Amino acid sequence: MRLGKYIMIASLLPFTCMAQEYAVPVSEANEPMMAGKYEPTWESLAKYEVPDWFRDAKFGIWAHWGPQCVEGSGDWMARSLYIEGSPEYKHHVENYGHPSEFGFKDILPLFKAEKWDPDYLVGLYKKIGARYFFALGNHHDNFDLWDSRYQEWNSKDIGPKKDILQGWADACKKHGMPFGVSLHADHAWSWYEPSRRYDRHGDKAGVPYDGRLTKADGKGKWWEGLDPQKFYAQDHPDSYGTWCDGMIHRQWAWGEGVAQPSVEYVSNFYDRTVDVINRYDPDLLYFDVTGVPFYPISDAGLKIATHFYNHNLATRKKDFSAVMFGKILTDVQKDALVWDVERGAPNMIAEEPWQTCTCIGGWHYKDEIYDKGWYKSAGQVIKMLADVVSKNGNLLLSIPLRADGTFDEKEEEIINGIGEWMSVNGEAIYSTRPWNIFGEGPIADSDIKLNAQGFNEGAYTKATSEEIRFTQTPKHLYAISLAWPEDGKVTVKSLAEGNPLHDKKIKSVELLGYGKVKFTRDAEGLKVKLPAGASRSVAPVLKIRK
């Protein structure tokens, strides 16, 4: 726990007590919050302790997959197809139709998941070294990927006609993998605002897109009987700057002039989330939010966290396994949740366990990334994993799936490459803890800032063999070089003779995957000449007996 934590909490009590009034209080009429050890205040939730299984796991895989993969035009396409002139708009108009006549709702039936095999995928991810798995429950597109009780636009009734979450949950149970669900639909309220725009140029100038359609407009259509406003959620006033495409990023934390969501809307997201917790019993929950969903305008997110922790305690008894993530957290919030850093990392050892989420390509499958070879390589993923773990973090890696539920052959090569390295070097990752420092080298010594919720991973992609990252177990210290040195020589400066970071005698050094190697130690560092017969690893690991 963080020093001074309770002093900080005490200073926040006037703002976190249960008597706080929220602008949009959530209704528990449909799904009561479970009572128990935790209460819906930051003070109570800050008593949370991250379970050891998560600290030991280090590596998870995410299927960030849903109907936005149909067109192969990438993440946020369900919003961007309504932004006139954007690449997604042009692709949609050319291949599917104008958004006044064929909007994202009409893409849903085309999402079939016909080749999806969750048993095979989860089994493969476990084989290559993942220790937990995440499924997308819903995205900002507001489509529930399960047999949803509170959202009629769902995968059981439309598209695949399958309960996707149940398939993933069953596969995780079979393979003994902790199961996580990510839920993003809280932002559909403002995210979909472009769907009620219109073209400002061309033959259809002034013709409204389909974002304002109502249930009555569905007569004779495939979606007759469904209410588009339960999907697009656009029956509300404009947010400030609604025609400014980038305004949503400024308004992400429910400020800066965003239209205030209704109690009905907030409560619907709460109901859907609690429904997932109760029915699928996930070990992990992820939200793409600042803090918790709808905070600080509503208590919905705090009650979701409280229900999740109390439900997990009730169902797991002594084996508490709940992990819930949030972004851009205060110190107090980092005691209540696990901090998630999107596509990046702090350049320091974090006091509490944290996670970075990233992807080998785009968050939703994008044909252009495949065509132009823009995927991260297995080596880049491995180096990122080593860096993150050295800083007390975990890596959650998304492998984009096509709409049919499969990955492509380029992704398969990356997956296999990760598995090959992990099979040899996994002991330097799993169940380890940070050393006295996380690493050495030009990047380690740089002042690399986070950009909002992360977005600095590009600063770590050019690592050379000078970059060393450290992890440890009670008996061993691991020095991971982030590249194979061209001259075959590794020098670990932090282990120089007389360095107070490690003032004990070094008993032996082993190159994982090869065996013991000769070494010297002087004022410059621990020096090892990698054997010529050793396999050339993208990140060779020295195992040092303490």
Side-chain angles (χ1 to χ4, degrees):
M1 282 295 183
R2 201 168 280 106
L3 290 176
K5 163 183 164 183
Y6 293 102
I7 295 174
M8 291 188 292
I9 289 176
S11 68
L12 293 175
L13 281 178
F15 305 99
T16 59
C17 64
M18 293 189 70
Q20 178 179 349
E21 293 186 6
Y22 292 93
V24 190
V26 71
S27 169
E28 299 177 50
N30 294 324
E31 296 287 349
M33 183 193 74
M34 179 177 282
K37 175 181 177 180
Y38 295 97
E39 297 178 354
T41 68
W42 289 117
E43 177 191 22
S44 177
L45 294 171
K47 299 172 185 176
Y48 169 77
E49 296 283 353
V50 180
D52 285 340
W53 81 261
F54 179 76
R55 300 193 69 189
D56 293 340
K58 305 302 183 188
F59 179 46
I61 286 185
W62 191 2
H64 193 283
W65 172 65
Q68 287 185 82
C69 298
V70 168
E71 296 195 27
S73 56
D75 197 39
W76 282 37
M77 61 76 55
R79 171 182 164 90
S80 297
L81 73 86
Y82 295 107
I83 298 176
E84 184 182 8
S86 71
E88 296 85 356
Y89 169 93
K90 293 176 181 178
H91 177 84
H92 181 81
V93 170
E94 180 179 348
N95 293 279
Y96 298 91
H98 191 266
S100 64
E101 301 164 350
F102 196 102
F104 187 68
K105 72 181 185 313
D106 301 293
I107 291 294
L108 302 179
L110 305 181
F111 176 54
K112 299 294 189 182
E114 63 270 25
K115 297 181 180 179
W116 173 58
D117 186 345
D119 179 38
Y120 166 74
L121 291 170
V122 172
L124 175 64
Y125 298 151
K126 182 177 182 179
K127 181 180 178 181
I128 69 163
R131 293 289 177 88
Y132 56 101
F133 173 80
F134 255 99
L136 187 69
N138 53 39
H139 199 249
H140 312 314
D141 62 15
N142 214 21
F143 185 71
D144 282 356
L145 291 157
W146 74 92
D147 184 15
S148 182
R149 291 172 176 161
Y150 300 103
Q151 171 57 298
E152 60 189 33
W153 300 82
N154 67 74
S155 65
K156 183 66 174 177
D157 296 327
I158 303 170
K161 303 295 180 70
K162 300 173 183 176
D163 187 329
I164 301 294
L165 281 190
Q166 189 65 63
W168 287 126
D170 290 345
C172 285
K173 185 176 182 179
K174 175 180 176 180
H175 293 283
M177 289 270 275
F179 177 52
V181 179
S182 68
L183 299 152
H184 311 237
D186 52 315
H187 276 96
W189 181 268
S190 54
W191 192 82
Y192 262 137
E193 284 194 21
S195 71
R196 52 195 192 179
R197 295 181 185 176
Y198 47 81
D199 283 3
R200 289 177 284 187
H201 310 281
D203 295 341
K204 291 188 179 294
V207 179
Y209 302 153
D210 69 333
R212 291 191 186 271
L213 292 177
T214 66
K215 187 174 182 178
D217 296 313
K219 188 174 182 179
K221 306 291 180 63
W222 74 264
W223 47 274
E224 184 172 359
L226 297 174
D227 183 357
Q229 288 312 307
K230 291 183 178 178
F231 185 54
Y232 293 124
Q234 292 309 302
D235 188 16
H236 63 78
D238 288 347
S239 295
Y240 171 75
T242 188
W243 280 79
C244 177
D245 298 337
M247 183 63 73
I248 190 170
H249 301 290
R250 290 174 51 186
Q251 297 173 337
W252 204 250
W254 300 103
E256 300 288 337
V258 68
Q260 183 170 287
S262 65
V263 170
E264 179 184 12
Y265 178 80
V266 169
S267 299
N268 178 257
F269 179 80
Y270 166 86
D271 289 340
R272 289 152 72 184
T273 303
V274 172
D275 183 40
V276 166
I277 295 169
N278 292 344
R279 292 168 63 189
Y280 303 98
D281 202 22
D283 300 284
L284 311 98
L285 281 182
Y286 172 103
F287 299 97
D288 191 4
V289 299
T290 303
V292 292
F294 299 109
Y295 190 79
I297 64 169
S298 176
D299 55 350
L302 290 171
K303 288 188 173 181
I304 286 169
T306 302
H307 181 87
F308 178 48
Y309 290 167
N310 287 338
H311 178 272
N312 190 279
L313 277 171
T315 55
R316 304 298 198 284
K317 303 303 181 184
K318 295 181 180 179
D319 297 323
F320 180 68
S321 66
V323 182
M324 179 169 154
F325 301 91
K327 299 179 180 180
I328 314 182
L329 305 180
T330 66
D331 283 346
V332 172
Q333 292 169 347
K334 285 179 183 178
D335 284 319
L337 307 168
V338 171
W339 179 35
D340 182 83
V341 179
E342 183 174 350
R343 290 188 182 271
N347 214 31
M348 57 180 286
I349 297 174
E351 291 185 50
E352 300 288 345
W354 60 282
Q355 174 181 269
T356 185
C357 61
T358 191
C359 185
I360 64 170
W363 287 120
H364 280 97
Y365 194 88
K366 190 170 186 176
D367 293 332
E368 185 181 20
I369 292 176
Y370 170 84
D371 293 338
K372 295 184 177 180
W374 288 344
Y375 288 129
K376 288 183 177 71
S377 67
Q380 288 175 309
V381 172
I382 290 161
K383 294 172 185 181
M384 186 178 303
L385 174 65
D387 179 74
V388 167
V389 171
S390 74
K391 300 169 181 175
N392 204 25
N394 287 24
L395 172 65
L396 177 62
L397 179 70
S398 177
I399 307 291
L401 296 176
R402 294 173 288 204
D404 65 4
T406 63
F407 49 75
D408 62 53
E409 79 281 357
K410 293 181 181 180
E411 293 177 295
E412 183 176 17
E413 182 179 353
I414 296 165
I415 290 168
N416 290 337
I418 295 170
E420 290 169 5
W421 189 88
M422 293 293 279
S423 66
V424 173
N425 301 286
E427 67 173 271
I429 300 296
Y430 304 124
S431 300
T432 61
R433 298 293 183 266
W435 189 49
N436 300 318
I437 58 172
F438 73 84
E440 63 180 49
I443 296 174
D445 295 338
S446 299
D447 184 18
I448 300 173
K449 304 294 186 182
L450 293 172
N451 179 17
Q453 64 260 44
F455 300 113
N456 68 353
E457 67 182 18
Y460 297 95
T461 59
K462 298 180 180 179
T464 69
S465 59
E466 289 185 84
E467 293 295 331
I468 306 292
R469 296 295 180 266
F470 299 105
T471 62
Q472 67 172 334
T473 61
K475 292 184 178 180
H476 296 99
L477 172 65
Y478 297 92
I480 307 170
S481 176
L482 298 192
W484 188 276
E486 290 302 317
D487 60 3
K489 298 177 181 178
V490 176
T491 299
V492 185
K493 297 177 182 178
S494 302
L495 296 178
E497 192 75 46
N499 192 316
L501 289 172
H502 189 85
D503 55 7
K504 299 178 182 179
K505 180 180 178 180
I506 293 177
K507 300 175 182 178
S508 66
V509 177
E510 177 183 343
L511 174 64
L512 293 185
Y514 179 83
K516 288 187 177 181
V517 293
K518 295 181 180 179
F519 67 93
T520 59
R521 191 183 188 195
D522 58 25
E524 293 181 348
L526 173 70
K527 299 178 179 179
V528 174
K529 179 73 167 70
L530 300 178
S535 298
R536 193 181 176 95
S537 172
V538 295
V541 180
L542 299 179
K543 178 181 180 179
I544 300 158
R545 183 75 180 271
K546 291 183 179 179

